Each structure stands twice: as C-alpha cells, then as structure tokens.
Amino acid sequence: MTLLSRDAERTQLDGALAACMRGDTGIVLVEGAVGCGKSTLLRHCADAAHRHGAATVRAAYPDCATDLTTAVGEVPEHTPVVVCLDDIDQADAASLSRLTAWVRTTSHTARAGGLLLVLTAADAPSRDAGLDTELLKHPAYTRIRIGLLDRPATAALVHQHTGVPAARAVADGLHRISGGNPLLLRALLSEPGHVPEPGGPFSRAVLTCLERCGAAAPRLARALAALGASATTERIASVLRTTPTEAVRTLTALRATGLALGDRLRHAATAAAVLDGMDPTEREELHRRVARVLHASRAEAAVIADSLRACGGIDDSDESGDSGSCGSFGSSGNSGSSGGFGSSGSDWVVPVLREAAQQAMAVDEPERAAACLQLAHASCSTDADEHARGEIMLQLAALTWRLSPAAAEQHLEEPLAALRAGRLGAATAGHLARLLVAQGRIEEGAEALSRTTGADALRQLFALPPGGSHPTPPGGEHLSACAALWTHPGHQDDAKDAERFLDGAPAAQGTHEALAQAVRTLIHTDQPRRAAEWCRRLQEQAARRRAPGLRAMYGTLHAEALLRLGDLAGAEREASTAIRAVAGRGGHFRSAPVAVLVMALTNMGRYDEAARHLEPLVPERTLATVHALPLLRARGQYFLATHRAEAALGEFLDLGRLARRWDLDRPRQYPWRTDAAEALLRLGRHQEATALIAEQLALPDATGARLRGVALRLRAATEMPRERTRLLTRAVAELRGSGDRLELARALADLGRGFQTLGEGTRAGSVVRRAWGLAADCGAAPLCEKILPGQDPGAPGSARGTVGVDKTGRLSESERKVAALASAGYTNREIAAELFISTSTVEQHLTRIYRKLHISRRRDLPLDLEFDPCESAPLRS
C-alpha cells in the first residue's frame, strides 16, 4: 500500500510498532479530518504488525459488546499484540467509557510480549474529554496529526490513479476542487473527465464527509451553500441561530476537511452536492431564512434576489420567527444570538426583486432580470398591489422582448385589461402605449395613449429621431403619433437625420425602437446599402448581449435592405437566421422575417418553399399588428408569381385598407397601389391600373428614385410603343440610382422589348442581355427565364453585369457618365445629345473606358455604374 506524503507519520507508527515488538506497551492516536487517510495509515500498521508476527485485534465503531480484555487475553503472553480501533469518534458513550477504563488498566499492567493500541479519530471538538485525559496520562502516548495533501502530493496521487504523470494545470485544478482531501480526490478522479456530476461519486463523498464530521457540520455546510459568496461569520451564525463562536468552531472543522475555504465552501460542486442532498421543502425554507438574513444585513439586491428565487419568494404567512422546519439546518440555540439580524414581514421582497432586475439588465443578464421580475409579479397580492403588478408586467414585457417576442406580447395582456377597466394610471398607460406600439399594435397603443397627457408623450418615450411631422387625420392624433414609429418622418432630410441618429444614439434599452425606425428610414429613402451596414453593427451588438429578439429584429431589417438591393440570397440568409433566432417564441413579430423570406424565395422561383412558410401562418392572428402589412405584400407577390392575379390583388388591397386605417399609407414603405396595378395589368384592367399609379404619384410621399422608377415601368405598360419606350428609359434612369438591381433588371427587360417593338433590334439585344445578366446576378431565375428563355443563370460566364465593377474607380467623372449611358443601351449619338458633347468625343471616351476596364466591347460594360440625368439634361423622347 502506498502512503502519499505520509513518511513522517509512517515513521512514527513504525517506531511504536518496533517498541511493541520489544515488549513495550504504547498508545498511538492518529487524528485528522475526515477523508484524509487515517484508516489507510491504520491498515498500514496492522499489515506491518502481521508481517512481524504480532497478533492483531481490529474493530471499528466499538460498542459495549467489545471486550478488549478478553480479546487480548486470548493471545499468548509472549506474543506481541496490536489493537487497531478505527473511527472512535463515531462510538457511543458507553463504548467510549469502556474504552477509557481499558486504557486506564493498560497503564498499570505490563505484558511480556508487548502491547500497542492504535486509535483513529476525526477532528471533533466535542469528543469525550475523559478518554482524551486518560490518553494524555499514559506514559507511552503518541499523537499523530494527519492533514490534507499539498499540490505535489495531489499530483502524485493522480499519477498513481491514472498511471500517467499529471499536468500541472490538471493537478492544480483537482487540488482546487478537493482541497487535497484524499477521499474527495479519489472520488473526483472516478468522475468522467474528472468533472463533478450531480449525484456522482464526488457529491456522495462530500455528503459522507459531512456526516462523519458531526451533527453540526451538515447544518453549517448548508448555510454556507445557501449564502455563497455572501457568507460572513455573523450571517452564518444568524442563519444557524447560534453564536459566532460556535459557528467558527464548526467552520474550522470543515476547513480541515478541505470542504471549506475561508468563510465559503471551496467549490460550486461542493455547494451543489450539499443543497441537492436536502429535502426540497427544507431547502426552500433554508433559502427563505437566508434571504431574510441577507436583507436584514443590507446585502445587495442581486444577492438577496438569488435566495428569493431559490425559495420561490416570501409572503407574510411564512415568517422567519421559529418555523419548525428551520431545525433541519439550524441549531437549537437561542434565536436572539443571531447578531441582531432578522426581518419580519415581506413588504421588502418586491422592491428588492425589481432592483435586482435593474442590476441584472445593467450587466446584460436578461434571463436573470426576467426571472426576478416574474417572481416580483407573483409576490404582489392581486388587489392591494395592482399598480405595482401592472408596472412589473410592463417592465417584464420590455425586457422579455429581447428574449421572446411571443412572451412579451402575453405580458401586456394584464395591464391592457387593467387599462380598459380604468385601473391604470396615466403614467403607466403611457408606458403601456410605448410597449404596445413597439410590438406593432398601433390601435391598442393609441387607445392607451389616449389615457395619457397627449401624443407628444409617445415621441418623448420613444426618443424618436428628428424629422418632419406626419399629417394627422381628423380625430386621429393618437393613432398618428403611434404610427410615427413604424414609418419614416416624411422630411426631405430623412436619410441625413437617420444617419446622425444612428451614429450618436447608443443601442440600449429604450432606444432600440428608434434605431429600428432610423434603419427603416434609410431603406425607404433609397439608402439600402447604408441600412445593411448599420444592421450588421447592430446585430453584432445584440449577439454580444445575448438578445435573440433584438438579433431577429435587426436581422429582419438587414434582410429587407438586402432585398431592396436585389441580393436575394443574402435576404434569404438573414431572414432565415432571424426566424431561427426566435423559433417557437416569435409571436406576431415572426411574420416580419417570414414576409421577407417569402419575397426572396418567390423572386428566386422557389415557390414550394415560399408556400411552406406561408401555410403555418394564420393571417387573422397578425392582422392587429403592423407585421400584417409586409406579410400581405409577400402573399400578394407569391400569388402574382404563381399566376393568381385575382388573389394577389385582394392581398394588396387589404394591405392598403390597413395602411390607411393605421396612418401608414406611405408609398415608399408600402407601395400597395403599384403592386395592385401590376395585378390589374395581369388581369387586363389597364384603366384601373393607370388610375392607381396616378394616385400614388400624386401623394406627397411619392418621392424617391425607386418609387418613381417602378411607377414609370408599370405606367409604360399602358402606353403605345414609342411612349412606352420613353417612359421605360426614364424608369431605367431612376432605378439606376436607387440601388435596386432587381427592379432595374425588370425595367431593362421591358425597355429591351420596347426597342424590339420599334424595330431597333441591335439596341434591344444589348439592353436585354444586360437585363438578363443583372437578373442572374440577383439570383432571380424566373425573371431570367422570362427575359431569355432557356439560358442557365448558373452557367459559367452567363451572368454578365459585374465585370470590371471593382475597377470603375479608375474612370474620370466624364468617362463614368458615358459608360453609364452606354451600359444602359444608349447609342453614341444619343449619349452625345445627353451630355452636350460631340460624337467623336463619346468615341474617344469609350476607347479610354475599354482600356481602363480591360474590356473590348460595349456589352461588357458593368451595370452598376450610376448616372443622374439631372446632372446634364432631362432624357428626351
């Protein structure tokens, strides 16, 4: 048997055994903490005695029936006798008394063959004083102290157990957990991966050590486990209802076993084992007691909240006084010895939990904050604390949206019912309005806002970015104020204002709604590329803060921006990621990323996939939120692409009715009129389509290159060939500056067909090929097939349209203008007329352009070149 780091102790034992073999009488007490190897040392002594020819008498837990005199008397007088008694601290009083008498007798009786009594005992401050006194009086008494293993000895034991040398980091880690207690260390080494598991060998060894440390040790360990890092001598004593002196005495014994370090249990696995070993009811009562002690001793709210959550809360019915179940972890001492700690009543519980929630949010721990608020809500009485209950539910809704939009929606139902029953104050109603609108529930938000001081309150609550005011419908002041969050302000400097706001506002609780509005403003003012860049930044921040709801919100906006750029694959990716972020907990909000995903899939021709995403949704559930609007548009586009124009028209008209009802009828955001016009054109109802297009262009909000370009493209379909070509040429010029490559491809395709109708075959072919290449770059397979049937967009070299884009920075401003017009299909003569230069100058520019871009023909010019016709002269018919 190998005794690690016990050379000195073994030498002492061997010396006592040698004296016994010479005929001397001696007593050895091996003393130390539980699990430190006392029994191993005793077995070493017994084995050595046997090898030397001595007779051995072994016993553990001696009782009154053990007659040592008889046992020793049966051994021949000249044969040495070694008596080994293990764990005498576990013996009952009668056995200890008999053992004491026997020790006293051996002091006066010599034996020819020699006698050695070896005892082991765990550290026990309350051990029988009579036996200790008798041992000290014995002339040949030796006391051997055995302690914890140091780090080198720990490494040696690991080597012995595993057969391979232990890395220093591994040995140090195991020593940190076990404290150098051999029993705990061996249990730890038997765990898979040497990692403590609930209920595993390490946990069982911890409980065994505590049981053998005396009755006070388990109670103290439970108090330490429940107090955690907040443990102090005074708090421990208060929880145990004992004196600080008594608590320190038991704590010293736990330190000796390696279970405790300072005023705490050494490791979280130790604390878990202690608490898991308790009866659930007793464990709850312990945490309840600890919570009261922590509150009375002015601990931090977050620390108290942990105990409150562990016990499920406190109410006036479970006073701490002298609850009977406390005896399972407290001593029977006077409760007045708790150092003055204690607390009656539970009025403090809810404020502490709310404060703890705020602290958790400050360090980006939303799950913990939500748990505190949920318990605070449950701790409020239904009648007396209705105001507090309402405020807590609003806090919980605001917080929970970061984690689960569906749960946040549910949290608003109780305060909304209280509002309608007239039991919600004006300030709370304003907060409710803010949260309802943030969830897209505009009408309900307006209802709540009407109970506050006015529409200006909502703008202040949202910290909306600067911008122009919205037109207010008669009697719809509150509705208009609520709608403001979900659309752009309608000011000529919208994009600049949004950029400034995004650049200066922190992404924090209370600003996310306004940040989202600023991003939407960039998307709807033909700045989708900038919107995508901001979304990437905001998504990264949300990921760092473990906020899946915010990640989904910014991811949806990112997908929408990419869709506006014609990046269908990117839009699909971001929308799918947003849907996964809130899988099973998206609520009405889930319709928003689904809408973008369906539009991307529809444009890519993946109709079956689009249908699968639409089928699980029940539109009626979302018709009360703004998320119904993009969903209706996505459904309409899907129906239109699958040749169901009548159904598509119904979706677009429903969208329009809701948009007008909620004061969200903004063509740049929801161009339902041109969508409906396209459906009407498919149905052959040209006059109605023309009327809708004209109605949209007449609206104050009908600004922006993309909006005008799409309207012109559709209006061209109702005109004669020459006028149609003129309008399509203007549409191409508008869309070129909008950033929407997919709409530009549609306009170019129509323009190419227009040229073909006019007999301009060469020009038509050039424009059609450019349209096809751009559609292929977008991944719009149906549009590619419509433009050039039979061509494979995925074939190598087929997707022309981006060649040389990264080299266009080499072009001068004049060359860029010429290249842009040439790429759009203009002839040299038309380019000269547009730019007020000669045809020869155009030819010279093109020669330099081809050389700089390393191309040899007109059709290889990149399509992403932009040119504003207003910089020269308006396009002519």
Side-chain angles (χ1 to χ4, degrees), residues 679-729:
L680 288 167
L681 290 173
R682 299 277 185 92
L683 295 169
R685 295 155 64 177
H686 289 202
Q687 189 173 357
E688 294 173 70
T690 301
L692 278 177
I693 295 169
E695 181 182 326
Q696 178 167 295
L697 290 174
L699 293 172
D701 185 64
T703 58
R706 182 181 183 278
L707 192 69
R708 291 192 300 268
V710 173
L712 289 169
R713 177 179 68 82
L714 293 173
R715 188 177 133 196
T718 67
E719 302 291 343
M720 298 299 290
R722 188 159 298 280
E723 178 62 14
R724 181 185 309 155
T725 304
R726 187 185 73 83
L727 291 174
L728 288 170
T729 302

Side-chain angles (χ1 to χ4, degrees), residues 213-221 240 246 250:
C213 281
R219 293 195 294 268
L220 177 66
L240 294 175
E246 189 66 28
T250 309

Side-chain angles (χ1 to χ4, degrees), residues 358-405:
Q358 292 295 332
Q359 293 174 356
M361 284 302 302
V363 293
D364 283 326
E365 294 183 354
E367 295 91 347
R368 187 175 181 182
C372 289
L373 289 175
Q374 286 169 343
L375 183 56
H377 180 262
S379 300
C380 290
S381 62
T382 306
D383 300 323
D385 299 330
E386 183 166 8
H387 177 71
R389 286 171 61 88
E391 288 186 340
I392 291 169
M393 290 305 287
L394 296 181
Q395 282 183 283
L396 193 55
L399 166 64
T400 307
W401 206 99
R402 297 178 54 167
L403 307 172
S404 170

Side-chain angles (χ1 to χ4, degrees), residues 220 232-252 255 263 331 334 336-341:
L220 177 66
T232 64
T233 301
E234 291 75 14
R235 287 171 176 166
I236 294 168
S238 183
V239 171
L240 294 175
R241 299 185 177 90
T242 188
T243 64
T245 302
E246 189 66 28
V248 169
R249 184 180 294 117
T250 309
L251 184 57
T252 301
R255 291 170 184 156
D263 289 340
S331 70
N334 189 339
S337 64
S338 62
F341 294 167

Side-chain angles (χ1 to χ4, degrees), residues 532-554:
E533 292 170 5
W534 278 110
C535 284
R536 275 191 287 270
R537 300 182 201 178
L538 293 167
Q539 283 174 278
E540 290 171 0
Q541 294 181 38
R544 287 195 297 270
R545 293 179 176 181
R546 297 174 298 172
L550 294 179
R551 288 182 64 187
M553 180 179 74
Y554 292 126

Side-chain angles (χ1 to χ4, degrees), residues 339-629:
F341 294 167
S343 176
S344 62
S346 59
D347 292 345
W348 53 272
V349 171
V350 172
V352 164
L353 288 168
R354 295 181 71 177
E355 182 182 351
Q358 292 295 332
Q359 293 174 356
M361 284 302 302
V363 293
D364 283 326
E365 294 183 354
E367 295 91 347
R368 187 175 181 182
C372 289
L373 289 175
Q374 286 169 343
L375 183 56
H377 180 262
S379 300
C380 290
S381 62
T382 306
D383 300 323
D385 299 330
E386 183 166 8
H387 177 71
R389 286 171 61 88
E391 288 186 340
I392 291 169
M393 290 305 287
L394 296 181
Q395 282 183 283
L396 193 55
L399 166 64
T400 307
W401 206 99
R402 297 178 54 167
L403 307 172
S404 170
E409 291 167 6
Q410 291 300 315
H411 290 322
L412 293 187
E413 296 307 314
E414 182 181 312
L416 186 58
L419 173 84
R420 289 168 175 166
R423 299 193 304 268
L424 214 60
T428 308
H431 191 191
L432 173 60
R434 174 189 184 277
L435 295 175
L436 287 167
V437 174
Q439 292 182 8
R441 300 159 71 173
I442 289 180
E443 288 185 89
E444 292 172 312
E447 178 186 356
L449 189 61
S450 66
R451 312 292 179 93
T452 66
T453 55
D456 290 341
L458 190 67
R459 182 170 292 277
Q460 295 170 1
L461 282 169
F462 276 117
L464 293 177
S469 60
H470 296 277
T472 303
E477 175 188 7
H478 301 106
L479 190 67
S480 180
C482 293
L485 184 71
W486 287 95
T487 188
H488 52 85
H491 190 270
Q492 62 180 357
D493 293 325
D494 279 353
K496 294 178 182 178
D497 290 339
E499 284 271 11
R500 280 195 295 268
F501 183 78
L502 287 164
D503 195 45
Q509 190 78 12
T511 65
H512 290 294
E513 296 89 353
L515 289 170
Q517 188 212 18
V519 171
R520 278 193 293 270
T521 297
L522 291 178
I523 295 173
H524 302 146
T525 53
D526 294 342
Q527 299 291 327
R529 197 174 300 279
R530 291 293 299 149
E533 292 170 5
W534 278 110
C535 284
R536 275 191 287 270
R537 300 182 201 178
L538 293 167
Q539 283 174 278
E540 290 171 0
Q541 294 181 38
R544 287 195 297 270
R545 293 179 176 181
R546 297 174 298 172
L550 294 179
R551 288 182 64 187
M553 180 179 74
Y554 292 126
T556 300
L557 291 170
H558 193 180
E560 187 178 345
L562 295 176
L563 188 65
R564 281 291 181 97
L565 288 167
D567 183 356
L568 300 180
E572 178 197 9
R573 179 189 66 245
E574 293 299 327
S576 298
T577 301
I579 293 169
R580 287 195 297 272
V582 291
R585 52 186 176 179
H588 300 317
F589 164 77
R590 183 176 177 271
S591 299
V594 166
V596 184
L597 178 60
V598 168
M599 285 190 275
L601 293 172
T602 297
N603 282 301
M604 287 190 283
R606 293 157 59 182
Y607 304 129
D608 290 344
E609 292 179 62
R612 282 198 295 271
H613 285 284
L614 285 173
E615 284 173 2
L617 296 174
V618 181
E620 289 73 15
R621 293 184 58 198
T622 59
L623 288 180
T625 74
V626 295
H627 306 303
L629 303 181

Side-chain angles (χ1 to χ4, degrees), residues 34 89-90 204-218 222 254 259 277:
V34 172
D89 54 287
Q90 301 294 317
R204 295 194 295 271
V206 166
L207 296 178
T208 298
C209 283
L210 289 174
E211 289 171 4
R212 293 173 59 186
C213 281
R222 291 165 186 168
L254 284 189
L259 291 171

